[in-house]
């Protein structure tokens, strides 16, 4: 990244990102707001085997997931109270027509089994089931039953990168059921006494049925829920963006990493990603590690030359600004004032190439080449090319994102002048940038920007750190009422 400059202007705004965000209404406002401001949740990654986006979940994130699971289980208890149907158990004794008449589930405990998957322990599951039974011996005997049990359930789920469907998919890795108490009432003292001799057999069949059902949920139902989540975003007139895994999830002690790529149909790019080599910061629920490649592909696709056009005066820099009249330049540019005394000025700024972003240690660099045109009486008076270098930091608060630019540097070249020579072009550009761009950007960014995830989760205790070639956004989350309502829908789908 070139840092060469002869002029600078410090402003409190993330100049380049927000400047062009307002102007590309027809070719990619969603691209800018959703990709750039939302830290590259979507990107365009074509034909590469290098990771460009990673989601890491730490132990505190698993603890939070445990709390969410407890809420989901409480919803499941409500479904059970309505008589949830259970699968039949077949064997020497058939148990059919099973319906839950009572269910109590304790808060689960989630932990990572390194190199294997996520383990979920649900202790003290209390259930009451009513149904019918049939003994398939030398003589058939039938009746009704009530089964009451308290058990401990442990399930281990793995995950892998499904290359065919371009999804992360779940797979069962282990299931165990241990009984604290168990009783079957066949509503007949003699039959109940007889069946007590087959209690271990019945327990084994129930364990098998429970684990088979969980296996089915992990293989099909849960993957169906994952598949129903949108994995493609269509950006009108630009491209179609698809999410997909880069590699199998990595299960390490107290952490899960989901490496991802995103593909954009029909797009190719003149640069390649460097990959992500870092790890999540400890003490947070989760981190998103975003390579600068993701943002640059979005910029390349949506913001080619001429896509960013800003005209002044506007709502941020009005006609009352001194720079909007040639009188301001009476001493600096006497040729301009002599040719057009006390005349209104307009400025036009147009990008000459797509902007690029680079994440460095504790810093973000944005490079934006533009042409700046000073117009008087409808004619071009001065045309200059300016390469802007913007450095700054990003902040996240709740569901809102803001930015602080610490410095703007620029290198300028005079392309044309109709008002005589310009002795100090850099000083002139300094003046123009400081007095036109700065107030415009400050007014935009003071309002802040809302992340699309705000309806679902609120970010707390956030940390945003620029590392070498990637941005690390870590934080804790809190579910909104909308998320809790969606959990009810998922439970209904899982048990439906």
């Amino acid at each position: 990244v070139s840092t060469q400059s002869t002029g600078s202007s410090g402003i409190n705004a993330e100049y380049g990102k927000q400047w062009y965000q307002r102007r590309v209404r027809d070719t990619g406002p969603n691209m800018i707001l959703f990709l750039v401001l939302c830290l590259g949740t979507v990107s365009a990654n074509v034909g590469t085997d290098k990771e460009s986006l990673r989601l890491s979940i730490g132990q505190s994130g698993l603890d939070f997931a445990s709390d969410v699971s407890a809420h989901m289980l409480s919803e499941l208890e409500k479904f059970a109270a309505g008589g949830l149907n259970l699968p039949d158990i077949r064997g020497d004794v058939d148990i059919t027509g099973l319906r839950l008449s009572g269910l109590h589930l304790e808060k689960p405990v989630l932990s990572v089994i390194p190199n294997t998957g996520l383990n979920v322990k649900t202790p003290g599951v209390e259930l009451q089931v009513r149904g019918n039974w049939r003994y398939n011996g030398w003589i058939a005997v039938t009746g009704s039953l009530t089964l009451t049990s308290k058990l401990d359930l442990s399930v281990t789920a793995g995950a892998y990168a499904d290359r065919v469907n371009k999804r992360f998919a779940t797979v069962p890795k282990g299931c165990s059921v241990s009984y604290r108490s168990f009783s079957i009432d066949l509503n007949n003292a003699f039959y109940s006494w007889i069946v007590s001799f087959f209690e271990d057999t019945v327990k084994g069949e129930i364990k098998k049925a429970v684990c088979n059902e969980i296996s089915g949920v992990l293989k099909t139902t849960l993957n169906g829920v994952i598949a129903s989540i949108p994995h493609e975003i269509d950006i009108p007139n630009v491209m179609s963006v698809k999410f997909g895994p880069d590699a199998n999830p990595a299960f390490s002690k107290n952490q899960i990493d989901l490496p991802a790529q995103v593909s954009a149909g029909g797009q190719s790019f003149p640069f390649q990603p460097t990959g992500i080599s870092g790890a999540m910061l400890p003490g947070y629920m989760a981190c998103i590690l975003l390579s600068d490649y993701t943002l640059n592909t979005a910029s390349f696709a949506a913001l080619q030359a001429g896509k960013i056009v800003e005209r002044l005066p506007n709502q941020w820099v009005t006609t009352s600004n001194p720079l909007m009249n040639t009188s301001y330049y009476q001493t600096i540019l006497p040729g301009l004032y002599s040719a057009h005394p006390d005349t209104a000025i307009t400025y036009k700024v147009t990008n000459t190439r797509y902007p690029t972003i680079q994440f460095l240690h504790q810093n973000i660099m944005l490079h934006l080449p533009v042409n700046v045109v000073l117009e008087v009486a409808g004619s071009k008076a001065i045309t200059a090319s300016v390469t802007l270098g913007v450095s700054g930091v990003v902040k996240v608060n709740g569901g809102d994102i803001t930015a602080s630019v610490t410095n703007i540097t620029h290198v300028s070249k005079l392309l044309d002048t109709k008002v005589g020579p310009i002795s100090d072009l850099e000083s002139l550009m300094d003046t123009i940038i400081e007095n036109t761009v700065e107030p415009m950007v400050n007014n935009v960014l003071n309002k802040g920007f809302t992340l699309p995830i705000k309806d679902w989760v609120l970010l707390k205790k956030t940390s945003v750190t620029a590392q070498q070639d990637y941005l690390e956004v870590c934080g804790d989350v809190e579910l909104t009422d909308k998320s809790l309502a969606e959990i009810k829908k998922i439970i209904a789908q899982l048990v439906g």
Side-chain angles (χ1 to χ4, degrees), residues 331-404:
T331 302
I332 303 173
L333 295 173
L336 173 65
Y337 182 76
S338 176
H340 305 281
D342 194 22
T343 306
I345 295 175
T346 61
Y347 299 87
K348 180 181 178 182
V349 182
T350 307
N351 72 309
T352 56
R353 196 207 65 190
Y354 60 92
T356 59
I357 295 173
Q358 183 179 20
F359 298 132
L360 301 173
H361 291 294
Q362 304 300 324
N363 209 355
I364 300 173
M365 298 294 297
L366 173 69
H367 286 257
L368 176 62
V370 298
N371 278 351
V372 178
V373 178
L374 186 154
E375 297 179 346
V376 181
S379 299
K380 296 178 181 179
I382 299 172
T383 302
S385 66
V386 182
T387 299
L388 297 172
V390 182
S391 59
V393 295
V394 177
K395 298 179 181 179
V396 179
N397 182 24
D400 299 313
I401 183 169
T402 58
S404 296

Side-chain angles (χ1 to χ4, degrees), residues 19 36 54 148 151 158 161 206 221 233 256 261 271 318 343 373 381 383 472 486 495:
W19 185 21
V36 180
R54 181 192 303 172
T148 304
L151 53 86
I206 292 176
T221 309
I233 293 179
I256 301 173
Q261 291 186 16
F271 42 80
T318 65
T343 306
V373 178
T383 302
E472 185 169 33
E486 193 66 22
V495 302

Side-chain angles (χ1 to χ4, degrees), residues 86-90 93-99 129-136 141-147 184-187 202:
L86 300 177
D88 295 341
I89 300 174
R90 302 289 181 177
V93 177
D94 290 342
I95 302 177
T96 60
L98 295 175
R99 290 178 67 85
V129 180
R130 300 184 187 277
N132 303 311
W133 63 274
R134 175 187 176 90
Y135 174 65
N136 298 315
V141 183
T142 63
S144 60
L145 65 82
T146 300
L147 184 152
I184 296 180
D185 182 4
L186 300 185
N187 299 313
V202 176

Side-chain angles (χ1 to χ4, degrees), residues 280-356:
M280 74 173 290
L281 295 176
Y284 291 95
M285 288 185 182
C287 294
I288 294 176
L289 282 64
L290 164 74
S291 75
D292 47 28
Y293 172 82
T294 60
L295 299 183
N296 289 331
T297 55
S299 176
F300 179 87
L303 300 173
Q304 288 290 339
K307 292 295 185 179
I308 303 169
V309 179
E310 189 60 56
R311 295 180 182 275
L312 306 167
N314 57 21
Q315 64 186 101
W316 296 278
V317 183
T318 65
T319 55
S320 63
N321 190 298
L323 267 74
M324 307 311 294
N325 190 285
T326 57
S327 297
Y328 181 88
Y329 295 102
Q330 187 171 359
T331 302
I332 303 173
L333 295 173
L336 173 65
Y337 182 76
S338 176
H340 305 281
D342 194 22
T343 306
I345 295 175
T346 61
Y347 299 87
K348 180 181 178 182
V349 182
T350 307
N351 72 309
T352 56
R353 196 207 65 190
Y354 60 92
T356 59

Side-chain angles (χ1 to χ4, degrees), residues 239-300:
M239 62 183 177
S240 177
V241 178
K242 297 180 179 180
F243 298 82
D246 174 73
N248 289 336
F251 295 94
S252 55
K253 185 179 180 181
N254 300 327
Q255 184 175 323
I256 301 173
D257 293 322
L258 301 173
Q261 291 186 16
V262 186
S263 62
Q267 294 288 325
S268 59
F269 306 100
F271 42 80
Q272 291 292 323
T274 57
I276 297 175
S277 57
M280 74 173 290
L281 295 176
Y284 291 95
M285 288 185 182
C287 294
I288 294 176
L289 282 64
L290 164 74
S291 75
D292 47 28
Y293 172 82
T294 60
L295 299 183
N296 289 331
T297 55
S299 176
F300 179 87

